[in-house]
Amino acid sequence: MTRLIRALLLLLALACPASAWAEAQYRLLVLAIPNKYHYEYIPIARDSLEHLARLHDFDLTYTNDPKVFEGDLQGYAAVMFLNTPGEELNPAQRLNFESYMRGGGNAIIVHRALIMPPGNWPWYEKLVGRSFVNHPMLQTGVVTAADPGFPATFGLPSRWIWSDEYYVLTNPHGIRIEPVLRVDETSYDPTRIWPGQVAKPMGDHPVAWYHRFEKGRVFVTTLGHSGEAYREPQYLAHLMGGIYWAATGLGQQR
């Protein structure tokens, strides 16, 4: 009888791929809606995130439909708004996401996802931790590691040549954040902007940060404007570090 059971188990193992026995470490939901300023990144980012999911053994749900926020979000370790701001969610979807965060959910905010019309959804502005003012023209600058012990810096040098839109930010809600990356404003022209607009240096200029909000973890990166960024290994290492921390709370060096 024992031999028969062993034989049946062997046949079952041969019939089923190894992946069928494995359980992913966690689930990540990504909302990525094409818009006027960001659309070409969609297929590139999806391909790269699917690669990261396979490489790092997590489940990925990638969608452009905010109706997913009408369902049960509790099964997701983290939710990523990828170049897609919270204004895309209707009132019921917003309430569901707020409930998710109050229940211990976690969020990742990438580039344009932090841009919200003032007063449109103050709770979301607080979740992000900073509010958008404007941005100079896309330029090459030097990004520095503000927190070398945070996972979103592990794949980066201490000084990193990067080209992006360096957002000018304010803190109208008085939210404390922990900077992960800063941009050196002497390495580009913070005033170079389109006619009729004015951009001023910030001085202390974070471009990625984390903080705790409600009962969850929030990671924000303002980087990621160009579609080509989502093919770039160092940027993807930065993004993966934020995903890893937001989803698990692990990896920080104290």
Side-chain angles (χ1 to χ4, degrees):
M1 186 68 178
T2 303
R3 289 181 179 178
L4 178 60
I5 292 173
R6 287 177 179 173
L8 289 172
L9 289 173
L10 179 60
L11 287 172
L12 184 61
L14 291 173
C16 297
S19 58
W21 295 89
E23 184 176 348
Q25 298 184 83
Y26 53 85
R27 297 174 66 204
L28 174 69
L29 172 63
V30 177
L31 179 65
I33 299 176
N35 54 65
K36 178 179 178 181
Y37 302 103
H38 299 84
Y39 52 88
E40 75 287 344
Y41 80 94
I42 293 278
I44 306 172
R46 180 167 191 164
D47 183 66
S48 293
L49 285 169
E50 287 176 346
H51 169 72
L52 289 176
R54 292 190 297 270
L55 179 64
H56 296 290
D57 193 29
F58 63 88
D59 280 340
L60 177 71
T61 299
Y62 193 105
T63 183
N64 62 6
D65 189 351
K67 286 184 179 179
V68 70
F69 283 83
E70 296 171 10
D72 184 7
L73 299 176
Q74 297 304 318
Y76 295 104
V79 173
M80 176 188 287
F81 290 80
L82 181 58
N83 279 326
T84 302
E87 67 178 310
E88 298 286 353
L89 273 57
N90 67 33
Q93 293 162 354
R94 294 181 184 192
L95 286 174
N96 198 32
F97 180 56
E98 290 181 16
S99 177
Y100 166 76
M101 291 299 299
R102 291 181 181 126
N106 308 293
I108 302 153
I109 310 296
V110 181
H111 193 59
R112 192 180 182 276
L114 70 83
I115 301 178
M116 284 286 288
N120 181 282
W121 189 8
W123 180 91
Y124 184 86
E125 293 180 62
K126 294 174 185 177
L127 173 137
V128 172
R130 289 294 181 269
S131 295
F132 173 82
V133 177
N134 59 20
H135 64 77
M137 294 179 180
L138 188 147
Q139 296 176 65
T140 301
V142 177
V143 172
T144 62
D147 184 353
F150 190 80
T153 68
F154 291 169
L156 305 180
S158 59
R159 294 180 67 82
W160 179 36
I161 299 294
W162 186 247
S163 301
D164 220 305
E165 296 175 332
Y166 295 116
Y167 287 179
V168 178
L169 308 164
T170 60
N171 186 16
H173 301 288
I175 304 298
R176 178 179 174 180
I177 61 170
E178 303 295 336
V180 171
L181 299 175
R182 292 185 172 94
V183 62
D184 180 351
E185 292 185 329
T186 69
S187 67
Y188 70 103
D189 183 357
T191 67
R192 185 169 176 260
I193 199 167
W194 295 265
Q197 300 185 48
V198 177
K200 297 180 180 179
M202 287 180 59
D204 180 13
H205 194 150
V207 293
W209 58 86
Y210 70 93
H211 70 125
R212 306 273 176 165
F213 185 71
E214 300 292 6
K215 293 185 178 180
R217 296 177 292 273
V218 181
F219 171 73
V220 181
T221 180
T222 68
L223 306 179
H225 171 76
S226 168
E228 291 303 312
Y230 299 91
R231 290 191 177 101
E232 210 283 327
Q234 288 181 314
Y235 177 76
L236 291 175
H238 166 62
L239 195 59
M240 183 61 219
I243 293 169
Y244 168 55
W245 175 82
T248 69
L250 301 175
Q252 276 183 280
Q253 294 178 333
R254 301 292 186 179

